[in-house]
């Protein structure tokens, strides 16, 4: 991801989404919980990555009530992602340490929440 300074945070969670993806919309409640679960420590930065223009993506996230301030426009293929939703946990060196694909069951959601609290 050009322009992202990975070293600014211990880790970054990229939420690769697409407007019109029903799995993304179905997962909105989890994304809301995920962003608010981190609490005040803020060791994980959240970045939403969508293929559409940032303004359209901001509107889409607002409709889903997912409070992610940092939004990037990037084609999915540029990230090596084939489908949405895909969540990528990236360390401070820019290395993907974990990945989750698709709509997730509750136990996998808890796994991600625990990962971003580190």
């Amino acid at each position: 991801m050009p322009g992202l300074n990975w070293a600014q945070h211990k880790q970054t969670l990229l939420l690769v989404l697409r407007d019109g993806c029903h799995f993304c919309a179905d997962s909105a409640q989890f994304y809301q919980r995920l962003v608010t679960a981190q609490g005040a420590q803020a060791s994980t930065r959240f970045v939403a990555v969508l293929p559409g223009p940032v303004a359209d993506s901001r509107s889409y996230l607002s409709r889903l009530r997912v409070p992610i301030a940092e939004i990037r426009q990037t084609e999915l293929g540029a990230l090596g992602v084939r489908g949405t939703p895909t969540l990528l946990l990236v360390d401070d060196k820019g290395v993907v340490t974990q990945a989750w694909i698709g709509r997730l069951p509750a136990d996998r959601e808890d796994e991600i929440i625990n990962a971003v609290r580190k």
Side-chain angles (χ1 to χ4, degrees):
M1 290 275 323
L4 278 183
N5 182 351
W6 304 108
Q8 285 183 330
H9 292 82
K10 179 180 174 184
Q11 56 188 9
T12 300
L13 184 68
L14 300 178
L15 288 89
V16 185
L17 310 172
R18 183 178 46 83
D19 191 351
C21 163
H22 71 278
F23 295 118
C24 299
D26 291 348
S27 300
Q29 193 171 34
F30 163 60
Y31 301 143
Q32 295 164 8
R33 203 166 45 103
L34 177 65
V35 174
T36 58
Q38 180 175 232
Q41 69 193 45
S43 63
T44 302
R45 167 176 55 175
F46 294 94
V47 179
V49 181
L50 295 94
V54 171
D56 293 347
S57 297
R58 190 172 312 284
S59 176
Y60 173 67
L61 291 173
S62 178
R63 286 194 314 272
L64 295 180
R65 295 188 175 109
V66 178
I68 298 176
E70 191 169 351
I71 301 169
R72 300 293 178 113
Q73 178 182 359
T74 302
E75 291 301 319
L76 303 181
L79 296 173
V81 171
R82 293 186 186 181
T84 55
T86 297
L87 281 65
L88 302 172
L89 190 62
V90 183
D91 69 13
D92 59 351
K93 293 170 183 52
V95 176
V96 175
T97 59
Q98 294 185 61
W100 298 271
I101 301 167
R103 190 174 191 292
L104 303 171
D107 62 325
R108 298 298 309 272
E109 290 179 355
D110 290 341
E111 177 185 324
I112 297 169
I113 288 173
N114 290 332
V116 302
R117 286 183 176 163
K118 290 183 177 180

